[in-house]
Amino acid sequence: MGTVYYIVPPVFGTMAQRKETNMTTLPTAIAAIVATLASKDPGAEESLRNRGTEAAQAAIIASAGEHRFLGTDAAGRAALLTAWSFYESRWDACAKGDSGRSLGIMQVNKIWMGSKHTSLICDLSGGFTAAVRILDVLTEQCTTPRGVLTAYSSGRCSSTKGVNAFVEQRWAIAGLPAAALDKPFTK
């Protein structure tokens, strides 16, 4: 699989951050996720693809470094965040949901940040960074990636049928192996 090269504006991190995360390249797999999801809305495909590319780049920066969430590598985390953010906000950093309780690109719920969650509205980078921090904390509380993603959505590590379906859908779109969704974390 080849690599798609993008020119990354400084807003997406320092050169050191981009070097650390290989941010100078956007893996083809993530570009394919953006294209696939953007094609779900043919009328808005170009603008959606542009927002998706920006979201993917911000997700890569947020996923860099020593994060334990989901027990996968930075590319896998970025792919999942890119897919997840499409379904949460259609890559709209200014999105509001759940009657104002969930905000931003990753629809961070007030239960995770209290009143500070209002700072996430229209902050692409901050939305991903907050989500990554929450996922890191949940990785310590839940035993599997499914549990972490379920808790992010519902506040509990245990799955319900409805939450299970969309966790599986987003995991699959990110191109992550199905068996890894229920693989217990190693401490």
Side-chain angles (χ1 to χ4, degrees):
M1 191 175 266
T3 301
V4 177
Y5 294 90
Y6 288 88
I7 297 171
V8 183
V11 72
F12 292 115
T14 65
M15 185 54 82
Q17 286 172 315
R18 290 193 303 257
K19 185 176 180 187
E20 174 189 344
T21 63
N22 276 328
M23 187 52 198
T24 53
T25 63
L26 182 63
T28 301
I30 295 175
I33 292 167
V34 170
T36 299
L37 292 171
S39 70
K40 291 181 178 292
D41 188 351
E45 186 174 345
E46 186 176 340
S47 66
L48 208 56
R49 187 185 309 262
N50 291 338
R51 278 198 331 234
T53 300
E54 289 178 7
Q57 291 170 338
I60 289 170
I61 291 290
S63 295
E66 296 300 316
H67 296 290
R68 290 202 53 236
F69 87 84
L70 307 180
T72 187
D73 62 10
R77 292 189 299 263
L80 182 66
L81 290 174
T82 301
W84 197 275
S85 61
F86 173 81
Y87 286 102
E88 290 294 331
S89 66
R90 297 189 54 76
W91 297 318
D92 180 358
C94 298
K96 294 180 183 180
D98 301 323
S99 300
R101 290 187 315 270
S102 298
L103 300 175
I105 189 121
M106 288 292 291
Q107 290 293 283
V108 174
N109 194 287
K110 191 174 183 175
I111 64 169
W112 301 119
M113 295 182 65
S115 62
K116 290 181 182 178
H117 94 300
T118 58
S119 67
L120 300 177
I121 195 69
C122 298
D123 182 353
L124 181 68
S125 176
F128 280 118
T129 300
V132 166
R133 287 182 181 148
I134 293 163
L135 291 166
D136 279 342
V137 168
L138 292 172
T139 297
E140 298 300 319
Q141 298 172 7
C142 305
T143 59
T144 65
R146 181 186 305 274
V148 170
L149 297 171
T150 299
Y152 182 85
S153 298
S154 70
R156 295 182 309 269
C157 295
S158 57
S159 295
T160 63
K161 188 175 181 179
V163 173
N164 238 351
F166 74 73
V167 165
E168 289 171 0
Q169 174 197 41
R170 295 167 187 192
W171 186 266
I173 287 171
L176 297 170
L181 187 57
D182 293 309
K183 183 179 178 188
F185 296 120
T186 55
K187 301 282 179 177

